[in-house]
Amino acid sequence: MKLSTTSFVAAAAVVLTGPATAQNPGDLFIIHELDQPPEAAAAQVRFHTEAEEDWLFLAEFGLAGGSVTALKICYPAIGPDIVAAGMHTMAMMPCGHLAFYEEDGQSMLSMLDMAFMTTLDPHPRLEDAAATARPAFAAMLAEVLGVE
């Protein structure tokens, strides 16, 4: 059966905007339960990354009909490692991909582990970048949101 362009777009819209629950998110996802509503948690991270020189806030946008707040942030200290791995790796920037949402009434944060970079490109400098960024993100999230 051949899908028309309209059918394909409609199907894609359902996938991109409909609610979904991950059964097994996989090793590259760091998931935290939050004590505050998703919007408040996202605002706290945005405020922190905008105010601190060690961080770079890049974007915030709503997904899934507004039920998810996505943030794109970066830890510039890993910039030299990213560039040394090859300019093509700049496509992975920003390095912090975070999603704030509710699941079964519980506020949640989902973030890509920095190892996603070495999964896409096993360059040793990306391993260095992940090793540098991982504790920085963990410390920032612990300080700002109280998650461990």
Side-chain angles (χ1 to χ4, degrees):
M1 180 176 129
K2 185 175 180 180
L3 283 175
S4 70
T5 301
T6 303
S7 296
F8 177 77
V9 170
V14 169
V15 169
L16 293 174
T17 61
T21 302
Q23 299 302 315
N24 290 316
D27 294 338
L28 292 177
F29 292 92
I30 298 169
I31 311 233
H32 294 287
E33 292 184 353
L34 301 172
D35 293 332
Q36 60 271 70
E39 302 81 17
Q44 288 176 276
V45 171
R46 182 184 66 246
F47 178 77
H48 181 83
T49 56
E50 287 175 331
E52 297 292 323
E53 286 184 21
D54 293 346
W55 294 94
L56 180 60
F57 175 79
L58 297 172
E60 176 178 337
F61 47 93
L63 299 171
S67 64
V68 176
T69 300
L71 296 184
K72 302 295 182 185
I73 62 176
C74 198
Y75 187 60
I78 68 171
D81 288 321
I82 301 293
V83 171
M87 293 304 284
H88 68 282
T89 63
M90 295 299 289
M92 289 189 270
M93 304 314 287
C95 52
H97 304 268
L98 295 85
F100 298 86
Y101 56 94
E102 273 194 24
E103 190 169 64
D104 299 325
Q106 173 64 54
S107 294
M108 304 293 292
L109 162 64
S110 173
M111 178 183 154
L112 284 178
D113 185 286
M114 295 297 111
F116 87 90
M117 294 186 291
T118 59
T119 299
L120 296 173
D121 187 331
H123 194 283
R125 290 295 293 267
L126 292 178
E127 292 178 17
D128 294 343
T132 299
R134 189 178 290 118
F137 272 90
M140 184 269 290
L141 292 173
E143 177 185 339
V144 175
L145 300 178
V147 297
E148 297 296 322

